[in-house]
Amino acid sequence: AAWTLGRKTLGALAFPLAFLIFMLPFPTVVRNGLETFLQYGSAAVAHALFNLGGTSVFYHDLIFRLPGINLQVAPECSGIRSSLALFITSVVAGHFFLRSRWKCAVLSLAVIPLALLRNGFRIFTIGELCVHISPDMINSYIHRQGGPVFFARSLIPFFLLLWLLLRSEQRPRSQNPTTLPQYYAKAHPLPFRLHHPVCTRSFLLQLFTAGQEGEPSEKGRRLFCQRPLRSIGDRVHERVPLAAWPEVR
């Protein structure tokens, strides 16, 4: 494939092709293992929430004995579908918004505790409603069709984590870059002219922008036009004396 399509084309198609794996159904062994993990993990979170809330509860083997009602965390209550949807969202968001691979991995792995907290909070909410309002709340809308509501709430910490990872990838700005030589002197120990990139005429004109009205200063025009550009590969220090740079703002 690399010989036929080329490495660049194959690299561009790698993620879309790998993403198609989510179209395949899970093997029965994998599905049962994920459901069991989510069941026990969510039940443990719900048990901790009941204790924090001061509710009298006896928990044993996925069964909660509450005042007036008993609850059992069934495989259908594992939240495997919403957890898979959140995991797919994390993979897509990491691919399009994050540059670092390990940060993409952090965003995807954060789905596991987030899924357990979301589903455990849902069990806790249903149990509290059954205890304090009526046991008939077990047949209410929040139990039968309330999954999207809790899924939407789980997106709040998810996007907060994504925002924090995005901010960590932003390059720090200079504190007070009054002139270009002073800015580059902080970042490079060698002289400014040795590090300045290859520039075109339009970019050089932008370097001499006065800053108030967006027009090049007269001194900038005069220094820039001392010698004509021979080619795009000419560097800045060939056009402008280095000693004159601190005076140009």
Side-chain angles (χ1 to χ4, degrees):
W3 180 77
T4 306
L5 300 176
R7 291 185 178 181
K8 292 184 178 180
T9 305
L10 188 62
L13 296 176
F15 178 79
L17 292 176
F19 192 75
L20 295 177
I21 194 174
F22 292 110
M23 297 179 60
L24 303 177
F26 286 123
T28 304
V29 177
V30 177
R31 181 182 179 86
N32 293 338
L34 290 176
E35 286 183 347
T36 303
F37 170 75
L38 292 174
Q39 276 181 274
Y40 281 90
S42 302
V45 173
H47 185 219
L49 292 176
F50 280 125
N51 291 331
L52 290 176
T55 303
S56 177
V57 59
F58 177 77
Y59 168 68
H60 176 70
D61 196 21
L62 301 179
I63 297 177
F64 293 91
R65 301 187 183 276
L66 300 169
I69 191 172
N70 295 333
L71 298 179
Q72 182 179 6
V73 183
E76 295 80 7
C77 303
S78 62
I80 186 173
R81 294 182 180 85
S82 57
S83 301
L84 180 60
L86 190 61
F87 179 76
I88 294 175
T89 304
S90 69
V91 172
V92 175
H95 175 73
F96 285 104
F97 296 106
L98 299 176
R99 296 188 300 267
S100 176
R101 292 185 177 180
W102 73 267
K103 291 181 180 179
C104 295
V106 168
L107 184 65
S108 298
L109 292 177
V111 171
I112 299 176
L114 192 58
L116 297 179
L117 289 173
R118 181 201 66 242
N119 209 39
F121 181 74
R122 183 183 181 185
I123 298 171
F124 168 74
T125 302
I126 295 173
E128 290 292 320
L129 291 176
C130 292
V131 171
H132 296 285
I133 297 180
S134 172
D136 294 334
M137 293 298 296
I138 193 66
N139 299 319
S140 63
Y141 170 83
I142 195 171
H143 180 213
R144 299 299 180 184
Q145 299 176 343
V149 177
F150 292 92
F151 177 78
R153 291 188 175 185
S154 67
L155 292 178
I156 298 176
F158 173 79
F159 284 116
L160 178 61
L161 176 61
L162 177 61
W163 178 73
L164 292 175
L165 293 175
L166 282 172
R167 287 201 61 182
S168 65
E169 288 190 344
Q170 294 178 356
R171 297 179 179 179
R173 298 181 179 180
S174 176
Q175 297 295 332
N176 186 21
T178 55
T179 60
L180 287 174
Q182 293 177 7
Y183 173 79
Y184 277 89
K186 295 180 180 180
H188 305 289
L190 297 179
F192 164 74
R193 65 174 183 270
L194 298 180
H195 296 280
H196 200 281
V198 177
C199 301
T200 60
R201 180 184 293 270
S202 60
F203 180 72
L204 286 172
L205 284 174
Q206 295 177 8
L207 296 182
F208 295 107
T209 300
Q212 297 180 353
E213 299 180 356
E215 294 294 334
S217 61
E218 293 298 327
K219 183 174 293 186
R221 292 178 183 272
R222 185 169 61 255
L223 292 173
F224 175 73
C225 299
Q226 283 181 354
R227 293 166 55 188
L229 287 175
R230 295 191 301 271
S231 64
I232 296 179
D234 289 338
R235 294 183 180 272
V236 173
H237 67 273
E238 297 178 4
R239 307 276 68 75
V240 182
L242 183 62
W245 272 97
E247 301 177 2
V248 180
R249 298 181 182 272

